[in-house]
Amino acid sequence: MKKLELKNLGVQEMNTAEMAKVEGGGLLNDALKGLLGSVTGTLNTIGNDTSAFLNKTLTNVLKLVWSL
């Protein structure tokens, strides 16, 4: 069996950083990035809303307790 010389076929070696730049991720990678970005945004919004609700509730409870 012959040993193939890839350099004779025009194949070029690349390191990991070069491969990431050239390939770019493709359709599946873009879809996953979009989905994860959406989920992250939703979780941040829920966290902020929950925090604001708890702060207002605690303030109102403390006002009620101090008024007694």
Side-chain angles (χ1 to χ4, degrees), residues 8-65:
N8 295 338
L9 298 174
V11 176
Q12 173 184 342
E13 288 186 32
M14 290 191 286
N15 62 25
T16 308
E18 288 173 322
M19 288 174 58
K21 270 192 232 173
V22 171
E23 290 192 18
L27 185 60
L28 181 60
N29 189 27
D30 293 343
L32 286 175
K33 279 184 182 179
L35 178 64
L36 288 176
S38 176
V39 168
T40 302
T42 302
L43 290 176
N44 284 338
T45 301
I46 290 172
N48 290 338
D49 289 350
T50 303
S51 176
F53 172 76
L54 291 175
N55 284 335
K56 287 181 182 178
T57 303
L58 183 59
T59 301
N60 288 335
V61 168
L62 289 175
K63 284 180 182 178
L64 177 66
V65 168

